[in-house]
Amino acid sequence: MKKLCLLSLAIGLASHSVMADATPAPIENKDAFVSNLMKQMTLDEKIGQLRLISIGPEMPREMIRKEIAAGNIGGTFNSITRPENRPMQDAAMRSRLKIPMFFAYDVIHGHRTIFPIPLALASSWDMDAIGLSGRIAAKEAAADSLDITFAPMVDISRDPRWGRTSEGFGEDTYLVSRIAQVMVKAYQGTGLIGADNIMASVKHFALYGAVEGGRDYNTVDMSPVKMYQDYLPPYRAAIDAGAGGVMVALNSINGIPATANLWLMQDLLRKEWGFKGLAVSDHGAIFELIKHGVARDGREAAKLAIKAGIAMSMNDTLYAKELPGLLKSGEIEQSDIDNAVREVLGAKYDMGLFRDPYLRIGKAEDDPVDTYADSRLHRAEARDVARRSLVLLKNHNETLPLKKSANIVLVGPLAKAPIDMMGSWAAAGRPAQSVTLFDGMTRALGDQATLHYARGANITSDKKVVDYLNFLNFDAPEVVDDPRPAQALIDEAVKAAQQADVIVAAVGESRGMSHESSSRTDLNLPANQRELIKALKATGKPLVLVLMNGRPLTILEENEQADAILETWFSGTEGGNAIADVLFGDYNPSGKLPISFPRSVGQIPTYYNHLTIGRPFTPGKPGNYTSQYFDDTTGPLYPFGYGLSYTQFSLSEMALSSTTLNKTGKIDASVTVKNTGKRDGETVVQLYIQDETGSMIRPIKELKGFQKVLLKAGEQKVVHFSIEEDDLKFYNTQLKYAAEPGKFNVQIGLDSEAVTQQSFELL
Ligand code: NOJ
C-alpha cells in the first residue's frame, strides 16, 4: 500500500515535471529525492512550501483546500483532528506535485491529557517522569494527525515577571539542557518516521527568556560569554538530541531581531552547530521586522528574513507577496529560496510524509468515534507525573499530611478551577476533563469525612485585570467572578473555617496570569486573596496554602502566616487527585524548585548561580559596602533546588577520591544520604561546582549533576558523582570552551544553599 502510494507519487512527479528527470530519484536517498522534486517545482510552488498558516474557526475551509491544491501552503497549525486534516491532505494530493502537507500544534505539556506545566515538570527533577509526559503527548498528538510540535520551550528564565516563565523549565542551564534532550527524544521517539512520533521544534531561538525587565517581546542585550555560557546550551542540547526544527524568537538580540539575525541563524545555528533541520518564524515575526525598525516595508522584511534563513513564515503573506519580485530584481538569489524549500521538504521527508502522506492521519474508518473520549486520556500517568512535580515549601509542626478523618474546609478561588488546573498552553486539553482540587480531595476522603467548601475570594478584585485575562481568551471567559462583595466571601470562609480542624486554601494566579503577554510588575498574590489569608490566619486554625501559579510569587507575608505551603504550579488534568495524594500523605512530596523564589520583586534577579563579585554579601556579617539591598534580608525566600519531604534526610560529609584531577582523569565525589524519618521518601541529591579562580569571573556555583533517590525509612545509600575535565569547562572571553587548571570547590546538597563542600585541584 505504502509502496503503491510512493510509486504514484513518483509517477505523478515525473509526468508533471517542468524539467523532469527521466528516472525519479529513489525515496531511500533523501538528498536525491528532494533535489529531484525541487527540479520539478515552479517558483510559486517553492514559495508555497514556505507558508505556514494558522487555521482558525473563522477560516473558510473550502478556500484553504483550494490554496493547498494550488500548491500555495506548506503546512498548518491549530487544526488538530484527523477528520479536519484529512481533507487538507487530500487537497495536497490533488496538487500538481502532490507534495504532502504537515500539521503542527503547540503541544507543550501534553496534548489531550494535560501534564503539569513545564516549570512544574522541571520541579520533579525526574527525567523518566518528564520523558513519559513528552512521550504520551507525542502519541496523543500523532493519533490526532499532528506531525510537529512547537516545543520544547527551553528559554532560560531568571525573571519571574515574565509570564512565559511557566512555559520553560526554570533558571538553570544544566537542568534545562538535560530536560531539553529528554523532551526531544520523547517527542521524536526512536525515529521521526514512526507513526506515533512527532517532530520537535525547539524554541524560542534565542534568548527569549532574557527579555529586559521580564516584559514580553522586549529586547535582549547580552554579552557573548553569557549567551554561550548560560542561555544557548539548552537550544544546543535539543539540537544535538536531534530536534528537527527550530522556532525563531520574537525578540531582538543586541540590536538585531532574531528573525533577521544572520549571526544567529547562519553563523551560529547552521555553521557552528551544524543544524540541518527546519527554521520556522514565530507568529507574524517577519512582518514585525518593520515594527522593530530594521525593515522599511514588507519587501525588505521578507528579504532580511529569507537571507537570515527563516525557512517558513508563520502566518503572514510576505514571502508569497515579495519573494518573486526580490528574486527578479536580484536582491535575493534563487539559492536563498531553494535553501528554505530544501529545509521544508527535508523535514517532510524525515517525518515520513513522502512515503505516506497519511502516516498520522490514518484511514477514516479508524478515526476515534469520539475525539474527546475520556478513554483516550492517560490519567494514571498524568497523576503520577503531577504528584512528582509538587514542591513542599513549608511544613510547620507537621501540619501535613492531613488526616482523612479531619474536619477540613477547602477555600480559595482555585479550589474549583478546572481551566486553571491545566495551566496555559493546554493544547487540546478540556477543562471538563480536569480534576479540580475539590474533586480530588472529595474523592480521597470517600466516606471518611465531608469536605467543606467556601470560595473565600475571587482571583482578583481588580476588574481591569479580569477584563485583560478574559480578553485573551476567545471561547469563553476564563475568569468568572462570584458577584458577591469581597467581604461577604471572606466572612463565609471564616465562618466555615471556625468550624473546621484545618483550613486548606487554594490561592495563586489564574492560568492566564502566567502566559504569553502576561508579564507582571507585582508578584504578590492579588490583594483580595491576601485579605482572605489574613482573615483565615486570624481564626487560629492550622492553615495550609496550596499555591497554584506559573512562576515564583513573592509570598513573604503568607510564608509567615501559613503553617504549611505546597507549591503545585498548574498541575494538569489529574492535578486535583495528585495534590490530594500529597495532602493526605498517599504520596510523599519529592519536588525541588527549578527556580528561586524572590522575597520581593525588587530583588529580581535572584538566580543562584550568579557571578562572583568583589564585595559579596556575607551572611551573618552584614556591614556596609557589600552587595546587598539594605532594606531587606539578602538572598531568596526559597533557593533553587529547595523542597521538603514528609520524612527527613541527612547527608554525610563528602568524600573525594582524590584532591587532584588530571585532564584525562576522573574524581569520584560521594556522600551518604540517609532517610532519618519515619516514612519512605525521595529526594534529589545535587552536585554543584565552583571554579574558584579563573581568567575571567566564574559563577559562585553551578549545578553539574543530580540524582533522585528513593530511600525507605531508616535506609541509607551512598550517592556517587563522577567529575571530569568536561564538567569544568567554560567559555572564556575568546569564547574558547576549555577548563583552566586551579582550585575547584565541589558542593553536594539537597538544595543549592545547604551543602557540604570539598576541594580539588585541576592539574
Ligand atoms: C506565538 C508563540 O510565541 C509561540 O511560542 C507559538 O508557538 C506560536 N505563537 C504559535 O502558536
Side-chain angles (χ1 to χ4, degrees):
M1 167 68 197
K2 275 183 191 162
K3 278 254 151 40
L4 263 184
C5 165
L6 181 63
L7 192 64
S8 59
L9 177 67
I11 294 167
L13 296 177
S15 61
H16 287 103
S17 68
V18 183
M19 306 165 19
D21 279 353
T23 41
I27 189 99
E28 288 72 25
N29 183 335
K30 177 180 170 183
D31 289 344
F33 181 83
V34 169
S35 299
N36 185 60
L37 180 50
M38 283 177 62
K39 272 188 215 152
Q40 301 168 61
M41 294 170 79
T42 63
L43 178 63
D44 286 348
E45 282 165 342
K46 285 183 176 175
I47 294 173
Q49 286 300 306
L50 311 185
R51 185 163 165 221
L52 172 62
I53 61 163
S54 167
I55 307 278
E58 73 291 352
M59 293 178 77
R61 299 274 168 161
E62 184 57 29
M63 188 196 78
I64 293 168
R65 286 196 291 270
K66 269 196 192 143
E67 290 272 299
I68 294 171
N72 293 336
I73 299 176
T76 76
F77 65 110
N78 289 342
S79 171
I80 59 165
T81 64
R82 292 162 55 135
E84 279 171 322
N85 289 340
R86 186 175 296 109
M88 289 198 268
Q89 198 66 299
D90 292 344
M93 292 303 108
R94 291 195 297 275
S95 69
R96 192 178 75 89
L97 292 176
K98 300 184 172 24
I99 299 175
M101 296 277 292
F102 70 67
F103 303 98
Y105 194 38
D106 288 288
V107 177
I108 308 292
H109 52 110
H111 176 60
R112 296 212 172 265
T113 310
I114 300 305
F115 285 87
I117 57 167
L119 194 63
L121 290 174
S123 302
S124 74
W125 295 56
D126 184 328
M127 297 301 121
D128 292 339
I130 295 171
L132 181 68
S133 77
R135 193 66 219 117
I136 289 172
K139 280 189 173 180
E140 289 185 358
D144 274 351
S145 70
L146 297 169
D147 305 299
I148 300 184
T149 175
F150 300 132
M153 190 280 221
V154 300
D155 306 321
I156 295 287
S157 57
R158 293 175 169 179
D159 190 331
R161 287 174 294 179
W162 191 47
R164 301 192 83 167
T165 299
S166 57
E167 219 187 308
F169 301 107
E171 73 185 26
D172 182 66
T173 311
Y174 177 84
L175 182 59
V176 179
S177 301
R178 287 274 304 266
I179 297 174
Q181 282 170 345
V182 167
M183 272 309 206
V184 169
K185 292 198 170 140
Y187 289 137
Q188 299 194 165
T190 44
L192 262 183
I193 208 144
D196 57 7
N197 301 333
I198 57 175
M199 190 177 105
S201 293
V202 61
K203 69 186 185 188
H204 303 83
F205 191 65
L207 321 181
Y208 186 23
V211 283
E212 245 177 41
R215 185 156 52 78
D216 211 0
Y217 317 122
N218 207 354
T219 54
V220 174
D221 209 286
M222 191 184 284
S223 75
V225 168
K226 192 169 190 164
M227 284 183 202
Y228 273 79
Q229 192 60 35
D230 298 346
Y231 281 79
L232 293 175
Y235 309 107
R236 176 86 194 256
I239 288 166
D240 288 350
V246 159
M247 183 187 284
V248 183
L250 292 165
N251 54 277
S252 59
I253 296 173
N254 296 346
I256 311 286
T259 307
N261 201 312
L262 280 167
W263 165 77
L264 181 78
M265 298 305 300
Q266 296 294 359
D267 298 348
L268 181 71
L269 180 66
R270 291 176 169 104
K271 292 190 195 122
E272 200 175 317
W273 292 1
F275 177 70
K276 298 220 165 16
L278 173 65
V280 180
S281 84
D282 201 343
H283 208 126
I286 301 180
F287 180 77
E288 285 171 22
L289 294 176
I290 307 171
K291 297 264 174 84
H292 274 292
V294 296
R296 274 185 306 275
D297 49 24
R299 184 181 171 93
E300 195 174 11
K303 176 178 148 186
L304 289 173
I306 197 85
K307 282 271 175 208
I310 310 298
M312 281 194 115
S313 85
M314 182 188 281
N315 241 35
D316 62 35
T317 49
L318 288 178
Y319 273 1
K321 208 164 140 220
E322 307 293 353
L323 293 184
L326 287 165
L327 186 64
K328 209 162 166 208
S329 67
E331 287 167 88
I332 63 168
E333 287 156 37
Q334 183 65 47
S335 60
D336 295 321
I337 296 176
D338 284 354
N339 289 342
V341 177
R342 193 173 290 281
E343 283 188 14
V344 177
L345 299 180
K348 291 181 175 181
Y349 179 97
D350 290 342
M351 289 185 282
L353 294 171
F354 284 112
R355 287 172 192 268
D356 181 1
Y358 296 89
L359 183 64
R360 297 178 185 85
I361 295 174
K363 298 195 197 98
E365 59 262 37
D366 297 331
D367 285 357
V369 181
D370 175 8
T371 305
Y372 309 105
D374 213 83
S375 56
R376 300 187 78 210
L377 303 185
H378 292 81
R379 289 193 175 275
E381 294 87 342
R383 179 171 181 165
D384 188 47
V385 173
R387 51 196 207 169
R388 290 169 189 277
S389 71
L390 309 180
V391 188
L392 182 64
L393 296 177
K394 180 176 179 182
N395 197 14
H396 180 62
N397 279 341
E398 299 193 351
T399 307
L400 291 176
L402 303 173
K403 289 196 190 64
K404 286 189 183 159
S405 56
N407 184 348
I408 303 169
V409 61
L410 174 65
V411 302
L414 291 154
K416 289 186 176 179
I419 295 185
D420 298 303
M421 293 311 284
M422 301 194 300
S424 63
W425 294 109
R430 300 207 123 189
Q433 289 177 320
S434 62
V435 179
T436 65
L437 182 54
F438 179 82
D439 297 339
M441 289 180 73
T442 304
R443 244 176 252 170
L445 288 172
D447 50 18
Q448 297 182 60
T450 310
L451 181 66
H452 303 285
Y453 167 79
R455 183 167 167 97
N458 287 320
I459 279 288
T460 170
S461 302
D462 188 336
K463 184 155 175 336
K464 282 201 302 302
V465 172
V466 175
D467 288 347
Y468 184 74
L469 296 168
N470 286 337
F471 166 78
L472 284 175
N473 197 37
F474 309 113
D475 311 329
E478 289 230 340
V479 180
V480 182
D481 279 346
D482 185 316
R484 287 176 288 169
Q487 194 55 48
L489 293 174
I490 292 181
D491 291 345
E492 183 188 58
V494 166
K495 202 163 158 212
Q498 277 156 349
Q499 315 301 315
D501 301 329
V502 57
I503 310 162
V504 175
V507 292
E509 302 181 294
S510 71
R511 70 166 184 174
M513 290 167 80
S514 272
H515 185 47
E516 182 179 346
S517 186
S518 294
S519 300
R520 296 181 62 190
T521 59
D522 172 1
L523 297 180
N524 287 333
L525 288 166
N528 62 320
Q529 293 193 48
R530 300 184 76 190
E531 287 303 320
L532 170 67
I533 294 168
K534 208 181 287 169
L536 295 171
K537 169 73 183 166
T539 64
K541 301 288 169 127
L543 175 60
V544 178
L545 294 188
V546 172
L547 293 178
M548 297 188 191
N549 44 294
R551 48 153 75 87
L553 297 176
T554 50
I555 51 163
L556 209 51
E557 206 176 332
E558 295 71 28
N559 191 49
E560 293 300 318
Q561 293 161 334
D563 296 280
I565 304 179
L566 185 66
E567 175 56 82
T568 71
W569 311 110
F570 296 117
S571 47
T573 305
E574 278 289 311
N577 284 331
I579 300 169
D581 285 343
V582 168
L583 291 179
F584 293 114
D586 296 325
Y587 179 81
N588 188 354
S590 62
K592 301 275 185 178
L593 294 177
I595 188 164
S596 322
F597 263 54
R599 299 170 65 83
S600 66
V601 165
Q603 257 192 341
I604 293 170
T606 41
Y607 61 92
Y608 79 96
N609 49 351
H610 60 82
L611 294 181
T612 308
I613 46 177
R615 293 186 177 190
F617 172 78
T618 316
K621 289 189 192 160
N624 287 338
Y625 303 109
T626 62
S627 187
Q628 61 176 314
Y629 296 105
F630 74 83
D631 58 354
D632 196 1
T633 307
T634 300
L637 178 64
Y638 288 116
F640 176 81
Y642 172 87
L644 302 172
S645 162
Y646 293 153
T647 188
Q648 293 78 41
F649 297 98
S650 71
L651 273 192
S652 68
E653 284 301 308
M654 180 197 320
L656 276 189
S657 60
S658 167
T659 52
T660 57
L661 173 67
N662 54 43
K663 284 190 177 286
T664 52
K666 282 187 172 134
I667 285 188
D668 179 82
S670 61
V671 284
T672 303
V673 198
K674 183 166 184 192
N675 181 343
T676 57
K678 294 194 188 72
R679 282 169 180 266
D680 301 351
E682 279 184 283
T683 190
V684 182
V685 186
Q686 302 158 36
L687 171 81
Y688 296 89
I689 298 184
Q690 180 195 18
D691 184 352
E692 216 179 67
T693 314
S695 61
M696 64 180 301
I697 301 171
R698 306 283 298 118
I700 60 159
K701 62 178 76 181
E702 291 169 291
L703 185 70
K704 290 291 178 181
F706 60 85
Q707 290 176 40
K708 194 157 185 173
V709 288
L710 171 65
L711 293 172
K712 295 206 172 334
E715 192 189 357
Q716 64 179 43
K717 223 179 235 173
V718 182
V719 174
H720 294 272
F721 292 100
S722 175
I723 302 170
E724 50 194 276
E725 197 207 6
D726 258 1
D727 302 312
L728 312 177
K729 289 183 175 163
F730 66 99
Y731 290 93
N732 67 15
T733 49
Q734 316 306 311
L735 296 182
K736 192 173 153 225
Y737 189 58
E740 295 177 359
K743 185 177 170 200
F744 289 84
N745 297 319
V746 185
Q747 302 180 345
I748 299 182
L750 302 181
D751 65 55
S752 60
E753 283 186 356
V755 292
T756 154
Q757 178 169 311
Q758 296 283 350
S759 304
F760 70 88
E761 187 96 8
L762 176 68
L763 301 175

